[in-house]
Amino acid sequence: MRGREAQWRPCQIQAQPLKQAADWIEQYRQLWEQRLDQLDDYLQELQTQEEQDE
């Protein structure tokens, strides 16, 4: 009997390493969001200055 049972591969997910990776990614997500917000503020400031110079 080699049908479906021969294709059965039991497995388990180890949640703890995934949580550690998600936590690490979250720290960097917050950092990059802050930096992108700062870049956006700077670019808006430059655009305002250009408009005033015209």
Side-chain angles (χ1 to χ4, degrees), residues 1 3-5 7 12-14 16 22 26-27 29 38 44 46:
M1 184 184 240
R4 288 185 174 175
E5 289 184 29
Q7 296 176 9
Q12 295 179 345
I13 293 177
Q14 300 293 327
Q16 185 59 31
E26 178 64 20
Q27 289 176 347
R29 183 187 66 79
Q38 289 173 347
Q44 286 182 8
L46 286 179

Side-chain angles (χ1 to χ4, degrees), residues 4-35:
R4 288 185 174 175
E5 289 184 29
Q7 296 176 9
W8 179 255
R9 305 282 191 274
C11 63
Q12 295 179 345
I13 293 177
Q14 300 293 327
Q16 185 59 31
L18 293 175
K19 181 175 179 345
Q20 291 172 347
D23 291 345
W24 182 82
I25 290 167
E26 178 64 20
Q27 289 176 347
Y28 281 93
R29 183 187 66 79
Q30 291 175 2
L31 172 71
W32 282 107
E33 280 184 357
Q34 289 172 355
R35 289 185 178 180

Side-chain angles (χ1 to χ4, degrees), residues 31-48:
L31 172 71
W32 282 107
E33 280 184 357
Q34 289 172 355
R35 289 185 178 180
L36 288 172
D37 287 344
Q38 289 173 347
L39 177 60
D40 185 47
D41 291 343
Y42 176 70
L43 293 175
Q44 286 182 8
E45 184 180 315
L46 286 179
Q47 188 174 19
T48 301

